[in-house]
Amino acid sequence: DLGYTAEDFSGDAQFWKNDDQNKGFFKKGWAYLATVTGRWPGGAHWPDMDQAVFSKTVSRLTEQLSEAPLNASGAVEGQSVHITKARDGRTPQDLRLLLADISDYSLSGYQVPVSFQTVPAKTLTAQQLHDQLHGEVRNASYDSATDSIVPEQLGADFDIAAVQKAMDEAAPGETLTVKADIQQPEVTAADLKAVLFRDVLGEAKTHVSGSAGRIGNVKLSAQIINGLVLNSGETFSYNDTLGERTAEKGYKPAPAYSGNRLTDAIGGGVCQGSSTLYNCVLLADLEVVTRSCHGATVAYLPLGLDAAVNWGTTDFQFRNNFHFPVKIEAETTEDLVKMRILGTDEKDYYIEMTSGYDDSREDVIYAVSYKNKYSKETGELISKDREAFSTYYRNVG
């Protein structure tokens, strides 16, 4: 195993035989000197070592005698938490030097003491494990940057003091099973993978007209929001998504409402994108967080169904109050902006929007929009609820 073969010793077979038969003082002395000097009686010498075999043996023994550290860990399984106590590892001293330094190979059963260095394992207290495993229960979600599903996260709660006592009494490397209060997510990665962006939750289209600058602004805003994904619980902000409308970003001057006044502004027309998206949100029955009407009526949507935006003052926001992620798709043609929201439809009803208005006054028009819920199964009206109240000025300066 150390690189010497039987053939290497064949020339000295008689010497070894005699050595076994005669263990006298002088004979033992010769054997000792031979191991030190490499020379044997009659000119014999200690054979050369096969370095390749020696290296292979050193590697094998090093691997066998080494032990990797086992870091402390915890994992949730079913209604329990499995905790493994840390166990230090070890690595032997340099066996190449140790084995090459053996001075008496002639004695059978020769033992070589090997010392080790400790390789510390990472330890964790019960409190640290609790902090690591407890976490907030979280549904599986979608990562747009990597186009992949982020796995769900369980929540786990257990008696920290009791677990620490059990860990203190456990042997290094031992795994403990701890009873815990496990909170399960509503949506797992497997659930999400099967239904991700499966359904059209709401869609709308509006006619685009006006100056080339306005049309260009509408197209640019649609390009920015196209493909945006909201995971469950996340809120969309039109202003935050588009950012400040500037010439450096490609926006052009175009007519825009400022209160009840119509003026040229960089980015004029982007409200058509927010208004078209607003209608998708209504039909999808997502939660509207904030929405404002324009100062005057718009030509591309019925009264009460528009959503004005202005950088720094007026925003359109909605929240994904569903269990599954939703995706915004937006595109423009020569004279249309089309948007839709994809997701996973969990509803047993569908939405239709209606609006009414009162134009009896000379200075303003009052409009009310209604959300009508219909049964998917029977088509019957389930409910009719007021969605928003809007005020439009007649006289626009």
Side-chain angles (χ1 to χ4, degrees):
D1 286 349
L2 295 179
Y4 302 102
T5 64
E7 289 77 8
D8 293 328
F9 294 96
S10 59
D12 300 310
Q14 187 60 45
F15 171 79
W16 288 100
K17 182 177 179 181
N18 293 338
D19 184 61
D20 287 337
Q21 295 173 350
N22 184 1
K23 295 292 184 180
F25 172 78
F26 292 104
K27 196 66 175 179
K28 289 180 180 179
W30 271 113
Y32 172 74
L33 291 175
T35 59
V36 175
T37 64
R39 305 299 301 177
W40 294 88
H45 67 279
W46 188 254
D48 293 331
M49 178 188 293
D50 186 325
Q51 291 295 329
V53 175
F54 179 71
S55 296
K56 184 176 181 180
T57 298
V58 168
S59 297
R60 176 176 58 81
L61 290 176
T62 300
E63 183 177 351
Q64 289 177 347
L65 296 174
S66 297
E67 189 173 64
L70 180 63
N71 295 330
S73 63
V76 178
E77 184 177 328
Q79 293 299 312
S80 301
V81 170
H82 300 291
I83 295 175
T84 300
K85 185 174 180 178
R87 183 189 65 219
D88 291 338
R90 69 183 185 193
T91 182
Q93 70 183 80
D94 192 339
L95 294 181
R96 175 176 292 275
L97 295 177
L98 185 65
L99 295 177
D101 194 41
I102 295 176
S103 60
D104 191 349
Y105 293 94
S106 64
L107 300 177
S108 61
Y110 188 87
Q111 295 183 347
V112 180
V114 178
S115 60
F116 294 89
Q117 290 181 333
T118 299
V119 182
K122 181 181 178 181
T123 61
L124 291 172
T125 64
Q127 180 65 63
Q128 290 172 322
L129 284 164
H130 183 271
D131 294 343
Q132 184 182 97
L133 297 173
H134 180 258
E136 181 181 355
V137 62
R138 186 171 61 233
N139 288 335
S141 59
Y142 176 78
D143 184 356
S144 300
T146 59
D147 187 25
S148 62
I149 292 175
V150 179
E152 70 277 9
Q153 176 177 293
L154 301 176
D157 195 14
F158 53 80
D159 187 327
I160 298 174
V163 170
Q164 185 63 60
K165 182 176 184 296
M167 290 175 63
D168 292 340
E169 297 173 351
E174 183 178 348
T175 297
L176 309 173
T177 299
V178 177
K179 291 184 178 180
D181 177 21
I182 308 298
Q183 297 89 43
Q184 299 287 344
E186 294 180 300
V187 180
T188 67
D191 296 334
L192 183 54
K193 183 178 180 180
V195 298
L196 185 64
F197 309 136
R198 179 189 64 187
D199 306 312
V200 177
L201 304 180
E203 58 185 335
K205 60 183 178 181
T206 56
H207 181 74
V208 182
S209 61
S211 66
R214 184 183 187 281
I215 295 173
N217 292 336
V218 174
K219 289 184 176 180
L220 181 55
S221 64
Q223 291 171 3
I224 293 173
I225 67 174
N226 180 49
L228 189 142
V229 172
L230 289 179
N231 283 300
S232 178
E234 293 182 342
T235 298
F236 169 88
S237 164
Y238 197 79
N239 277 341
D240 288 349
T241 302
L242 266 61
E244 185 176 3
R245 275 69 86 181
T246 65
E248 290 76 16
K249 293 179 180 178
Y251 291 100
K252 306 296 182 184
Y257 286 115
S258 177
N260 65 335
R261 300 188 62 183
L262 189 63
T263 60
D264 269 4
I266 298 293
V270 297
C271 292
Q272 185 161 352
S274 58
S275 296
T276 307
L277 181 59
Y278 173 52
N279 279 256
C280 295
V281 169
L282 292 173
L283 296 175
D285 205 20
L286 289 160
E287 177 187 341
V288 177
V289 176
T290 182
R291 169 265 175 188
S292 300
C293 65
H294 287 80
T297 60
V298 297
Y300 49 82
L301 278 168
L303 275 66
L305 297 181
D306 58 311
V309 292
N310 184 55
W311 177 255
T313 61
T314 308
D315 198 8
F316 166 57
Q317 298 178 5
F318 71 92
R319 191 177 77 91
N320 179 8
N321 54 311
F322 298 154
H323 293 120
F324 298 93
V326 297
K327 177 193 285 188
I328 300 171
E329 289 190 342
E331 63 172 324
T332 56
T333 63
E334 185 176 348
D335 61 349
L336 291 174
V337 56
K338 302 177 181 179
M339 295 188 185
R340 63 179 186 169
I341 295 177
L342 303 180
T344 306
D345 196 354
E346 304 173 83
K347 307 185 300 296
D348 60 358
Y349 61 87
Y350 63 91
I351 300 292
E352 288 186 0
M353 297 300 301
T354 56
S355 61
Y357 60 91
D358 178 3
D359 61 351
S360 60
R361 294 183 53 170
E362 293 184 359
D363 56 340
V364 296
I365 299 174
Y366 296 120
V368 180
S369 60
Y370 296 93
K371 182 178 287 187
N372 305 275
K373 294 184 180 180
Y374 293 90
S375 169
K376 285 183 178 179
E377 183 177 356
T378 65
E380 294 180 354
L381 178 65
I382 299 172
S383 63
K384 180 177 182 178
D385 301 308
R386 192 177 88 164
E387 175 63 27
F389 181 83
S390 304
T391 301
Y392 302 100
Y393 292 97
R394 287 183 181 276
N395 300 318
V396 179

